[in-house]
Amino acid sequence: MPIVKSLTVSVVILLAGCTGLPDGIDPVSDLDVERYQGTWYEIARLDHSFEEGLSNVTAEYSVQDDGSIRVINRGFSEEEGQWEEAEGRAVFVEDEANGHLKVSFFGPFYASYVVFRLDEDYRFAYITGYDRDYLWFLSKTPTVDDEALEDFKDVASAKGFDLEELIVVDQSRNR
């Protein structure tokens, strides 16, 4: 029985870690979810298996009646020659003004979604996960100017992200 209890505690700790915050990263504290919802274009990211090879990536957020956020991620797979889509659900970890959410695309398993920078016009958002292996630069438009991309890189570097593997996402199909 002690092994089962130990395993259960380990799984709970592991899952809780996936919804935490990276050290030194603070979520925005004045998020307006009504302004945040809509379609965001992925400008740059640190690549992961779930997005590998995808271009023209978008994330669409919409507030549901229960206060959760419906998430639809979409991207084009050049290898498959088709669009791929995943639907998920995000909920606030604290209150709606705090940019720390947890998102799930796989049933009861959640991971952190941390908005750590958001411009006052809701044009750009910088997102991370529970650690610095996850990083996204989102925009309300499919392209940004060089200055916006450089600002993102400067802020991300200053926050301790390793940008060696940063991918600038092709959005040519979304223009």
Side-chain angles (χ1 to χ4, degrees):
M1 209 51 151
I3 292 175
V4 172
K5 184 176 181 181
S6 176
L7 181 61
T8 302
V9 169
S10 296
V11 168
V12 168
I13 289 170
L14 178 65
L15 291 177
C18 292
T19 59
L21 296 167
D23 288 337
I25 302 289
D26 295 316
V28 298
S29 60
D30 57 352
L31 181 70
D32 179 342
V33 70
E34 293 297 324
R35 289 181 69 196
Y36 194 82
Q37 69 181 341
T39 300
W40 289 84
Y41 298 86
E42 190 176 89
I43 301 301
R45 70 172 180 259
L46 292 179
D47 214 16
H48 285 280
S49 60
F50 53 87
E51 284 188 289
E52 190 174 353
L54 295 182
S55 62
N56 304 283
V57 178
T58 59
E60 185 178 333
Y61 305 103
S62 55
V63 179
Q64 303 302 290
D65 291 339
D66 66 359
S68 68
I69 310 294
R70 180 179 181 216
V71 181
I72 298 177
N73 287 346
R74 188 171 189 250
F76 188 79
S77 170
E78 295 293 336
E79 184 178 317
E80 301 292 326
Q82 64 185 17
W83 290 94
E84 295 184 9
E85 191 172 280
E87 184 173 340
R89 178 179 182 266
V91 294
F92 289 90
V93 173
E94 294 180 19
D95 60 73
E96 281 189 11
N98 186 293
H100 183 196
L101 295 91
K102 57 184 184 177
V103 64
S104 176
F105 290 92
F106 310 106
F109 303 104
Y110 283 86
S112 278
Y113 178 99
V114 182
V115 182
F116 68 94
R117 186 157 182 192
L118 183 62
D119 76 310
E120 64 184 33
D121 296 324
Y122 284 69
R123 294 172 303 144
F124 308 125
Y126 303 174
I127 313 298
T128 187
Y130 65 92
D131 66 21
R132 284 179 176 77
D133 289 339
Y134 299 91
L135 179 66
W136 294 270
F137 175 23
L138 304 180
S139 172
K140 286 287 189 156
T141 60
T143 60
V144 300
D145 60 30
D146 291 341
E147 184 180 328
L149 184 58
E150 288 308 311
D151 183 59
F152 166 73
K153 290 177 182 179
D154 290 346
V155 169
S157 290
K159 294 282 189 185
F161 290 92
D162 179 0
L163 302 183
E164 190 173 310
E165 302 293 323
L166 187 71
I167 293 171
V168 176
V169 179
D170 174 12
Q171 286 288 353
S172 59
R173 291 179 186 267
N174 284 323
R175 290 185 209 153

